[in-house]
């Protein structure tokens, strides 16, 4: 195991920089930081936190652990902008991004994600899977497991090999540009050529699309696992999916829900899927009915958020501000 703090005199020895944007991280932040500091790597690494106005003692928690902490005004925070700022001050050849609620699942997470990014010289970035926290809903566990199973169980490297399919097949494009800065590693040389975009949302996938189009490859690191999950309530689910659908429409041209009928049909399918999963988990009788009904409302909120996000251009500005969770968090300083 080798760990160090940012020291210009040791710049050449730092292999990786773990970069964590923070705002009111709460108790979980301490667990995340401790898990990062416990990493066993065959080379030195540094940890840098960028705080954007915490009021809950997060900065003190970082400093108590001897970790370098920088600050940025909440009004200056941006998902890509702030991460670029951290990358510019980092010393590592590999820039490893996690969020304040993404906890490495084991002591070899860092070595695994950097190793994946080193798999081939053409790899611009690597990402690893997310596990739901043990306390998360059963449906959340199943969704995350199903999603990351789609990338396989072995280290893989993908690149744009079929331009014609890329141009007409949204599924193929989405597979190629999926990336998550909740658990990612970007090669510094690639970042210098293709920095993270300064966008409202989905800076990670927008970056991956640009990297893929620039000729780089992308790697999946199945052994670089973090715990990261959210059991959003009804309104938060709608807001989150609004932000995602709007960003996918703006930056990728996708229409996640083209019509209200398609949205409701999707909601019905998801509600039936959740019912099946809950039944498989051993729920019966009233417990099954109660949980399935709640998840049906959650799924309805999901698809309505996607529908509104897809049609964001026709919505009045007051409604846009109300339904965007990301903008609300930034305005209130809770990002």
């Amino acid at each position: 195991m080798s760990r160090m703090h940012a020291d210009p005199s040791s710049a050449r020895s730092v292999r990786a920089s773990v970069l964590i944007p923070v705002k009111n991280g709460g108790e979980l932040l301490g667990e995340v930081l401790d898990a990062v500091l416990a990493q066993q790597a065959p080379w030195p690494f540094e940890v840098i936190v960028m705080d954007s106005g915490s009021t809950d003692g997060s900065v003190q928690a970082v400093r108590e652990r001897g970790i370098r902490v920088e600050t940025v005004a909440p009004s200056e925070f941006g998902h890509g902008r702030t991460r670029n700022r951290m990358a510019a001050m980092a010393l590592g050849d590999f820039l490893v991004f996690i969020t304040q609620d993404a906890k490495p699942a084991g002591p070899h997470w860092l070595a695994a994600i950097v190793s994946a990014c080193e798999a081939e010289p053409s790899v611009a970035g690597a990402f690893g899977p997310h596990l739901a926290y043990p306390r998360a809903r059963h449906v959340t566990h199943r969704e995350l497991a199903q999603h990351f199973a789609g990338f396989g169980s072995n280290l893989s490297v993908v690149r744009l090999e079929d331009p014609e399919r890329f141009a007409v097949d949204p599924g193929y494009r989405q597979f190629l540009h999926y990336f998550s800065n909740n658990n990612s590693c970007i090669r510094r040389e690639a970042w210098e050529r293709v920095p993270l975009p300064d966008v409202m949302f989905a800076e990670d996938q927008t970056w991956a699309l640009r990297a893929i189009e620039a000729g780089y490859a992308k790697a999946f690191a199945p052994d670089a696992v973090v715990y990261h999950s959210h059991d959003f309530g009804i309104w938060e689910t709608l807001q989150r999916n609004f932000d995602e659908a709007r960003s996918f429409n703006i930056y990728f041209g996708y229409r996640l829900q083209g019509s209200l009928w398609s949205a409701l049909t999707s909601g019905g399918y998801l509600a039936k899927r959740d019912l099946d999963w809950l039944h498989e988990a051993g729920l019966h009788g009233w417990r099954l009915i109660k949980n399935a009904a709640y998840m049906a409302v959650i799924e309805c909120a999901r698809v309505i958020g996607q529908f509104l996000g897809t049609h964001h251009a026709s919505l009045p500005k007051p409604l846009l501000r109300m339904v965007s969770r990301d903008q609300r968090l930034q305005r209130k300083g809770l990002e």
Side-chain angles (χ1 to χ4, degrees), residues 127 150-151 156 158 170-178 218 254:
F127 69 99
F151 296 101
S156 60
V158 297
Y172 179 59
R173 292 183 68 205
Q174 290 174 27
F175 175 77
L176 284 180
H177 71 62
Y178 178 81
K218 179 191 72 171
Y254 301 147

Side-chain angles (χ1 to χ4, degrees), residues 35-333:
V36 170
L37 295 178
Q39 291 302 299
Q40 299 176 15
W43 24 253
F45 66 92
E46 63 174 350
V47 185
I48 303 175
V49 165
M50 179 74 76
D51 186 87
S52 56
S54 289
T55 58
D56 69 343
S58 289
V59 172
Q60 181 181 356
V62 177
R63 288 176 174 160
E64 286 175 350
R65 289 167 171 78
I67 295 173
R68 177 182 176 183
V69 58
E70 301 290 341
T71 60
V72 60
S75 60
E76 294 298 317
F77 176 86
H79 291 292
R81 184 191 319 148
T82 299
R83 287 176 172 85
N84 283 335
R85 182 171 175 177
M86 299 173 75
M89 63 179 62
L91 303 175
D93 296 323
F94 293 90
L95 309 169
V96 180
F97 294 100
I98 58 172
T99 47
Q100 64 188 27
D101 55 356
K103 177 182 174 182
H108 304 292
W109 157 79
L110 180 60
I113 201 161
V114 171
S115 178
C117 207
E118 291 182 296
E120 297 179 15
S122 62
V123 172
F127 69 99
H130 307 174
L131 288 178
Y133 279 100
R135 61 182 177 272
R137 291 190 292 242
H138 176 71
V139 170
T140 303
H141 281 270
R142 288 295 304 268
E143 278 191 325
L144 283 174
Q146 185 180 75
H147 173 75
F148 287 102
F151 296 101
S153 58
N154 299 312
L155 172 66
S156 60
V157 175
V158 297
R159 54 178 50 83
L160 177 54
E161 297 179 330
D162 190 342
E164 292 184 1
R165 181 184 176 190
F166 184 79
V168 299
D169 185 348
Y172 179 59
R173 292 183 68 205
Q174 290 174 27
F175 175 77
L176 284 180
H177 71 62
Y178 178 81
F179 203 72
S180 172
N181 277 341
N182 292 299
N183 184 21
S184 70
C185 178
I186 296 177
R187 188 185 297 267
R188 174 177 290 280
E189 293 177 357
W191 170 78
E192 290 173 346
R193 181 180 172 191
V194 185
L196 290 159
D198 186 10
V199 294
M200 293 184 298
F201 194 82
E203 87 293 336
D204 39 17
Q205 296 203 56
T206 312
W207 173 84
L209 177 62
R210 295 180 182 181
I212 288 290
E213 290 178 329
Y216 285 106
K218 179 191 72 171
F220 174 60
D223 297 328
V225 183
V226 299
Y227 286 104
H228 179 261
S229 61
H230 294 286
D231 284 336
F232 291 123
I234 296 167
W235 180 242
E236 289 177 316
T237 296
L238 187 149
Q239 291 180 307
R240 174 76 180 186
N241 282 275
F242 170 84
D243 286 328
E244 181 176 88
R246 177 176 61 170
S247 296
F248 274 26
N249 181 250
I250 293 173
Y251 305 126
F252 305 107
Y254 301 147
R255 294 174 60 83
L256 296 190
Q257 299 293 349
S259 70
L260 184 58
W261 174 251
S262 70
L264 295 176
T265 301
S266 296
Y269 166 80
L270 292 171
K272 175 60 168 60
R273 180 206 65 177
D274 294 350
L275 173 64
D276 292 341
W277 283 351
L278 291 169
H279 187 265
E280 290 172 4
L283 272 66
H284 301 283
W286 173 243
R287 286 187 63 209
L288 176 62
I289 294 172
K290 181 177 66 174
N291 283 274
Y294 178 73
M295 288 310 304
V297 177
I298 289 289
E299 300 301 2
C300 184
R302 184 203 301 243
V303 297
I304 289 175
Q306 292 174 349
F307 173 75
L308 292 174
T310 299
H311 299 274
H312 64 95
S314 61
L315 300 181
K317 289 184 178 180
L319 181 58
L320 284 172
R321 289 192 294 269
M322 181 175 67
V323 298
S324 174
R325 180 176 185 271
D326 196 60
Q327 289 186 15
R328 179 183 65 82
L329 289 176
Q330 292 190 48
R331 287 197 306 271
K332 291 188 175 182

Side-chain angles (χ1 to χ4, degrees), residues 4-14 46 68 89-91:
M4 62 166 290
H5 304 301
D7 178 356
S9 65
S10 305
R12 293 185 178 179
S13 64
V14 180
E46 63 174 350
R68 177 182 176 183
M89 63 179 62
L91 303 175

